[in-house]
């Protein structure tokens, strides 16, 4: 993908200050300012760093798979595919008429451009197609993905397998306090607007009712709790989320870390609590 030049003097200063930090994943077409991430770090028997947009999309892809009761292996294949096709960004263009996270093509029956650019719709379509592939669970990641995508580069998905396995372990809840994202003190939303946005997106992804009046969810076990907790942190930047509490730990936006909590702020393994910026 070609990158249009930004003011040369500014770029030179920026490169010097950041030590040649790579911003290639920040460009989704047209002229955009580089994201100065990574804003999120995922540690689960490996480490992956993403910006907030990529992290939110990875969390949504995972939630859709879990909601469909797809195994973790399916989530790995889906994430690797989205890594390769769009760098986990919801693109509005691509090769020929391809759009969205998976670069699905309206002309090939994937749906209208508007539908494909809904991450939940796109992920659902991908999982539906994968489920129809005979023996996909026993295939290499790249072979399973290729059966769905029919790419001109059939082996390209494999290079994202390790990163996708790390993300899947964290986002399916098999790792504890594994997703850490830093959000500055100027959130996108505050108060009632933030709570409403968070509740709406949570319900869309998980199919579980959430209300702005009470941002807490009962869970059956630690794995399901960490699924929700990691999803919440992944969507923090766009929803105005300030803190998440679960299993006697707390994540806070400016710090971006999971820390032990004691006293009245403690929450056990049966409830996930979220709070937005006032």
């Amino acid at each position: 993908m070609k990158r249009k030049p930004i003011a040369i003097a500014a770029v030179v200063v920026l490169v010097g200050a950041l030590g040649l930090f790579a911003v290639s994943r920040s460009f989704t077409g047209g002229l955009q300012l580089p994201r100065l991430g990574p804003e999120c770090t995922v540690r689960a028997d490996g480490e992956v760093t993403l910006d907030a947009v990529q992290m939110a999309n990875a969390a949504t892809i995972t939630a859709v798979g879990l909601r469909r009761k797809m195994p973790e292996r399916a989530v790995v294949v889906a994430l690797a595919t989205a890594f390769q096709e769009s760098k986990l960004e919801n693109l509005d263009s691509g090769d020929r008429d391809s759009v969205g996270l998976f670069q699905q093509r309206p002309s090939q029956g994937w749906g209208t451009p508007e539908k494909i650019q809904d991450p939940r719709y796109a992920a659902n379509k991908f999982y539906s197609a994968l489920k129809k592939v005979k023996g996909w669970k026993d295939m290499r990641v790249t072979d399973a993905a290729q059966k769905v995508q029919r790419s001109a580069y059939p082996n390209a998905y494999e290079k994202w397998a390790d990163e996708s396995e790390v993300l899947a372990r964290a986002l399916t809840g098999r790792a504890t306090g594994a997703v850490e994202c830093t959000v500055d003190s100027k959130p996108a939303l505050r108060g009632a607007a933030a709570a409403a946005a968070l509740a709406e997106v949570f319900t869309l992804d998980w199919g579980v009712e959430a209300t702005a009046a009470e941002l807490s969810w009962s869970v059956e076990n630690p794995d399901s709790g960490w699924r929700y907790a990691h999803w919440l942190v992944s969507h923090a930047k766009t929803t105005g989320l300030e803190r998440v509490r679960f299993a006697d730990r707390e994540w806070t936006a400016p710090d971006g870390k999971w820390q032990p909590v004691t006293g009245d702020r403690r929450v056990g393994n049966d409830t996930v609590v979220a709070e937005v910026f006032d």
Side-chain angles (χ1 to χ4, degrees):
M1 180 185 300
K2 285 188 176 181
R3 302 180 191 168
K4 298 182 181 179
I6 305 172
I8 293 176
V11 171
V12 169
V13 172
L14 180 62
V15 168
L18 299 181
L20 297 176
F21 179 79
V23 295
S24 60
R25 293 186 181 181
S26 305
F27 291 81
T28 60
L31 180 59
Q32 296 186 10
L33 294 176
R35 296 181 187 136
L36 301 182
E39 296 154 297
C40 299
T41 301
V42 181
R43 297 182 181 91
D45 294 332
E47 182 173 310
V48 175
T49 56
L50 301 174
D51 66 35
V53 170
Q54 294 170 311
M55 193 71 241
N57 286 329
T60 289
I61 289 169
T62 303
V64 171
L66 293 173
R67 184 177 174 183
R68 291 178 58 106
K69 302 188 184 304
M70 297 293 284
E72 185 176 322
R73 183 67 172 176
V75 175
V76 172
V77 175
L79 290 171
T81 303
F83 257 126
Q84 172 59 26
E85 296 291 354
S86 68
K87 299 298 185 290
L88 284 169
E89 299 200 13
N90 195 17
L91 304 180
D92 58 8
S93 62
D95 180 47
R96 287 173 282 189
D97 59 337
S98 301
V99 294
L101 288 167
F102 298 92
Q103 288 292 276
Q104 294 155 331
R105 298 181 58 194
S107 64
Q108 300 302 308
W110 288 97
T112 65
E114 294 76 18
K115 285 184 176 179
I116 295 172
Q117 283 200 277
D118 176 347
R120 298 160 200 90
Y121 174 92
N124 261 308
K125 294 290 284 187
F126 180 87
Y127 287 121
S128 292
L130 179 64
K131 195 171 182 179
K132 294 176 183 177
V133 175
K134 185 176 180 179
W136 69 267
K137 295 178 184 178
D138 300 319
M139 296 178 183
R140 291 188 306 159
V141 167
T142 198
D143 295 333
Q146 173 63 4
K147 288 289 186 179
V148 176
Q149 298 296 106
R150 302 176 184 271
S151 169
Y153 305 96
N155 293 311
Y157 305 102
E158 194 67 23
K159 65 176 176 284
W160 300 108
D162 290 345
E163 288 91 338
S164 298
E165 287 172 358
V166 172
L167 289 176
R169 277 192 290 271
L171 292 169
T172 59
R174 289 204 299 116
T176 298
V179 177
E180 296 186 323
C181 298
T182 302
V183 182
D184 63 29
S185 58
K186 296 180 180 179
L189 299 168
R190 289 181 178 272
L198 181 61
E200 179 182 10
V201 178
F202 187 94
T203 299
L204 287 171
D205 275 14
W206 290 105
V208 175
E209 185 177 357
T211 66
E214 186 176 357
L215 295 174
S216 65
W217 299 270
S218 296
V219 294
E220 296 179 355
N221 53 56
D223 283 4
S224 58
W226 283 115
R227 289 175 185 178
Y228 285 0
H230 289 155
W231 182 95
L232 288 163
V233 173
S234 299
H235 284 270
K237 185 167 184 177
T238 56
T239 59
L241 183 67
E242 183 178 17
R243 64 183 71 243
V244 179
R245 286 179 284 145
F246 178 66
D248 295 336
R249 295 193 182 190
E250 181 178 65
W251 169 90
T252 55
D255 178 63
K257 305 292 184 183
W258 285 96
Q259 304 287 357
V261 291
T262 59
D264 293 342
R265 298 195 66 78
R266 290 181 62 188
V267 173
N269 290 329
D270 59 352
T271 306
V272 180
V273 176
E275 298 176 18
V276 298
F277 282 94
D278 291 332

